[in-house]
Amino acid sequence: MCAEPVTPLEGIFLARPDEVGKGITLAVKDLFDTAGLVTTYGSILFDEHVPTVTAEAVQRLEAAGYADVGKTNLHEFAYGTTSENPHFGTVPNPLAPGRIAGGSSGGSAAALAAGLAEAALGTDSGGSIRIPAACCGVVGFKPSYGLVSMLGCFPLAPSFDHAGPMARDVAGCAAMMEALAPGFEPAELDLGDVEVGVAWLERAEPMVRERVEAAAVQFLRTRSLDLPLALKVDAAFMGEVADVHRELFLEHTESYGENVRTKVERCLALSDAEYESSAAERERYRERFQQAAAGVDLVLTPTLVCVAPPAPTDELAIRPRLTSLTLPFNATGWPALALPCGAADDGLPASVQLAAPPGEDARVLAAGAALERALSLG
């Protein structure tokens, strides 16, 4: 057992096993318990925590032939979008030094981008798989809510939390889903097989928008959608965070980093009425979203409105911008895939997001694979 990074890039791994088994190399976000290996949840409070039981998602991957090469750094308690961790260091972006790796699964994305793993496991509560995938130029998939087990994973906001795969291509994510979700069956489709609704392009910066538009036209049947954003669900999210951290935070306030401490304090200050109003709004939002997307097989949007921002950054200020196009799919539970779609500002990758109603995971991944092939030929 080793708690020191042993990679060429400081800040990616928090612990690595003494010996790595044979198999597809897998980086595991340090939010998942791993028996016999330090699991910190990104917090100094757990810097010597060694679980006795491995999280179910990790067990499933290991049983399918994946070999854990290490626990990856993350935003503290997975509550952030940059993976600038005050306790264990900032996760670097191997693709773009000087830029954030994204969060909260930043270490998992960075391990892929640096060639330190062939596959990675992350979590996503407001975009935490897809944001770092976009920043680091890799692929990340947030499955339908509840499809992949969260057992043995430290929660953030339980009804928003998802576990899911990250890889260098869509096929890598689809293969992981076969292990992670019992009964999951991959599908295949052509770009002409689906009708795609395109939304939120106007919210992206010009070069990102251009790349996402170029991805959209690869599909033969598209139309514009007026999809609502998840503007009034924050208090529902925050109320769940408050419930998770209430006792721990009150006892160990000073052990929380400033960024997460500020957010948890705001969560704990939330009134019951604010939470209940937001939870009710979330239910209405799900209905409006479903109605707005009626008649299409897939939704296509930018993953992020921009390329990876410079580091260091003010996470509290940039957070709403980075989660604006990803949080809707946590609020609704829809499966959503992020994949790179060409160079934008400063030569950094733009990312396109594909999503569909709950249960359509195979369709999303099949469409992503078809789009990936078309973009590689373009």
Side-chain angles (χ1 to χ4, degrees):
M1 181 173 61
C2 174
E4 294 295 324
V6 286
T7 87
L9 290 167
E10 293 293 327
I12 293 179
F13 286 109
L14 296 182
R16 303 192 73 175
D18 292 331
E19 296 183 5
V20 176
K22 294 182 179 180
I24 301 166
T25 52
L26 173 72
V28 176
K29 184 177 185 177
D30 202 27
L31 206 65
F32 292 90
D33 289 342
T34 44
L37 190 60
V38 171
T39 300
T40 69
Y41 314 134
S43 166
I44 198 67
L45 288 168
F46 295 94
D47 65 337
E48 297 182 355
H49 170 57
V50 181
T52 58
V53 179
T54 296
E56 182 175 334
V58 180
Q59 288 186 39
R60 288 187 175 279
L61 288 168
E62 290 178 339
Y66 291 81
D68 183 358
V69 297
K71 306 298 292 296
T72 56
N73 198 0
L74 64 153
H75 208 102
E76 183 180 6
F77 284 122
Y79 197 8
T81 57
T82 65
S83 296
E84 295 169 302
N85 190 305
H87 311 298
F88 304 119
T90 294
V91 176
N93 186 331
L95 187 71
R99 303 287 181 132
I100 66 168
S104 62
S105 307
S108 291
L112 292 169
L116 303 175
E118 300 167 271
L121 184 63
T123 66
D124 191 312
S125 303
S128 286
I129 284 173
R130 291 159 291 153
I131 293 169
C135 288
C136 293
V138 298
V139 179
F141 181 58
K142 182 196 77 63
S144 296
Y145 179 75
L147 183 59
V148 176
S149 173
M150 292 291 293
L151 187 64
C153 183
F154 196 95
L156 177 59
S159 76
F160 291 80
D161 294 349
H162 302 66
M166 305 172 74
R168 294 196 197 98
D169 56 25
V170 178
C173 287
M176 290 178 71
M177 283 300 297
E178 291 188 71
L180 288 167
F184 176 84
E185 295 184 3
E188 292 186 9
L189 58 76
D190 294 323
L191 294 177
D193 292 343
V194 287
E195 183 166 357
V196 178
V198 181
W200 302 333
L201 290 176
E202 72 285 355
R203 298 184 176 277
E205 293 183 355
M207 288 190 70
V208 172
R209 174 174 180 163
E210 182 178 325
R211 293 295 176 260
V212 176
E213 286 178 330
V217 300
Q218 303 298 318
F219 291 94
L220 303 184
R221 295 184 289 147
T222 64
R223 61 183 174 90
S224 296
L225 291 183
D226 184 16
L227 286 181
L229 292 174
L231 299 177
K232 297 181 180 180
V233 305
D234 284 354
F237 186 102
M238 293 166 65
E240 295 188 17
V241 174
D243 287 342
V244 168
H245 283 273
R246 195 177 311 277
E247 293 184 11
L248 187 67
F249 184 78
L250 293 178
E251 187 174 351
H252 300 284
T253 302
E254 296 308 314
S255 294
Y256 281 66
E258 181 180 357
N259 172 263
V260 172
R261 184 191 312 136
T262 298
K263 286 182 285 195
V264 172
E265 286 173 343
R266 292 174 179 175
C267 294
L268 292 172
L270 197 72
S271 70
D272 289 345
E274 289 172 314
Y275 168 76
E276 290 167 4
S277 175
S278 182
E281 171 57 29
R282 181 186 181 188
E283 294 304 316
R284 292 190 291 270
Y285 174 72
R286 284 172 168 160
E287 294 176 5
R288 293 198 306 272
F289 198 92
Q290 185 78 41
Q291 291 170 359
V296 299
D297 300 306
L298 290 168
V299 168
L300 182 151
T301 79
T303 305
L304 297 180
V305 299
C306 57
V307 297
T313 189
D314 181 349
E315 198 272 339
L316 292 173
I318 202 170
R319 177 181 176 81
R321 191 164 188 249
L322 293 182
T323 62
S324 60
L325 308 186
T326 55
L327 178 59
F329 300 108
N330 297 86
T332 58
W334 286 32
L337 175 74
L339 67 152
C341 60
D345 304 83
D346 300 317
L348 300 179
S351 178
V352 61
Q353 182 171 224
L354 298 175
E360 297 294 344
D361 300 71
R363 176 186 292 173
V364 172
L365 287 164
L371 176 58
E372 189 178 60
R373 288 191 296 269
L375 292 173
S376 69
L377 296 173

